[in-house]
Amino acid sequence: MSSSIVKSHCNKCGGERNHLVLHREHSSWVEDVDGGRNSISGSDTYYMLKCAGCDEVQLRHESWFSENYPDDEPTVRLYPPALSRRRPQWMLDLAFKSGVSTVVEELLTEIYVALQNDARRSAAMAIRSLIETIMIDKVQDQGTLGKNVDAFIAAGFIPSASEAFFRGTLIEAGNAAMHRAWKPTVSQLNAMMDLTEWLVSSIYIHPEQAAAVQGKLPARNR
């Protein structure tokens, strides 16, 4: 790596960007094993970086361990962690919208925290909790999850093109993550978030546009 410029992910700009190295600390170690017949080694390098585009500051930690063969590349951790998905701009509007439960805002925030830390099972369970909260808010509690789903769809909140994905994946994902240790892939979680964000936006942020948008949302494959 260059002593003055490194490539690193920038959450504010989005993606890999040039960063100025404000400070660098490096340490290494060697340890004898098997009675001194062999040895293992490792190193840690810390960079305090500032994005050359937006001036955002981050800490980058590169660790290397000799026993990671055949993966000889260092492990990279960023603080704060790299965002896998940006929060929509309309999230700031949720707090100022009348009639929006604070639970909706809190659950959505928890989902993005889970995504940022690659806690995909936690994100899937929080999505399920958020959707159930929204359904009860809009169609009241019908007694069972299945009846809530039926009432929510019958009320027109889900476009027909997305009904199968809503029933088969978005609702069941939380159950699978909680009871069967299912871990969604990044692409599966992004698909779930696409519909989740659309639901929150159309119901709470732009309800007057929901009717016009319904039926235009593309279907998702499970």
Side-chain angles (χ1 to χ4, degrees):
M1 278 187 170
S2 166
S3 59
S4 58
I5 298 286
V6 300
K7 285 282 190 182
S8 191
H9 180 90
C10 177
N11 283 337
K12 193 170 182 179
C13 294
E16 294 285 307
R17 295 292 187 273
N18 286 333
H19 283 70
L20 304 175
V21 178
L22 303 178
H23 187 72
R24 177 181 180 272
E25 289 286 341
H26 177 79
S27 63
S28 59
W29 55 271
V30 178
E31 182 178 334
D32 291 332
V33 294
D34 297 332
R37 292 187 296 271
N38 295 293
S39 65
I40 58 176
S41 60
S43 67
D44 291 281
T45 306
Y46 294 88
Y47 297 88
M48 185 62 71
L49 305 176
K50 183 170 74 169
C51 178
C54 69
D55 292 335
E56 193 83 351
V57 175
Q58 67 174 238
L59 176 67
R60 180 184 176 95
H61 175 208
E62 296 183 359
S63 60
W64 178 83
F65 181 46
S66 60
E67 304 307 293
N68 281 348
Y69 180 85
D71 184 9
D72 215 20
E73 294 294 319
T75 299
V76 176
R77 295 180 177 88
L78 299 179
Y79 305 92
L83 291 174
S84 61
R85 188 182 183 98
R86 284 189 173 187
R87 302 185 187 199
Q89 292 183 343
W90 49 254
M91 269 202 70
L92 295 173
D93 298 330
L94 276 178
F96 301 99
K97 287 286 185 178
S98 61
V100 179
S101 168
T102 57
V103 177
V104 172
E105 183 185 359
E106 290 171 354
L107 282 170
L108 199 55
T109 298
E110 290 176 14
I111 291 169
Y112 287 107
V113 171
L115 291 175
Q116 185 171 0
N117 290 278
D118 197 33
R120 283 176 264 160
R121 291 187 182 93
S122 296
M125 287 185 278
I127 289 172
R128 157 67 188 278
S129 181
L130 173 60
I131 296 303
E132 193 158 6
T133 298
I134 293 173
M135 289 192 298
I136 292 174
D137 180 36
K138 291 303 172 183
V139 298
Q140 303 302 313
D141 192 349
Q142 304 298 310
T144 66
L145 176 61
K147 290 181 179 179
N148 287 341
V149 171
D150 290 340
F152 194 66
I153 291 174
F157 289 107
I158 299 297
S160 57
S162 295
E163 181 178 338
F165 178 77
F166 182 79
R167 288 182 181 276
T169 300
L170 201 59
I171 296 299
E172 291 302 321
N175 282 337
M178 184 180 299
H179 302 296
R180 299 189 292 278
W182 177 69
K183 184 178 183 179
T185 65
V186 172
S187 61
Q188 286 173 327
L189 205 49
N190 277 329
M192 293 164 61
M193 285 302 299
D194 285 345
L195 185 52
T196 300
E197 288 177 348
W198 180 85
L199 274 175
V200 175
S201 175
S202 65
I203 291 174
Y204 296 110
I205 304 299
H206 305 295
E208 70 282 355
Q209 299 177 14
V213 176
Q214 284 184 359
K216 296 180 181 179
L217 197 67
R220 291 284 186 179
N221 293 322
R222 187 169 185 174

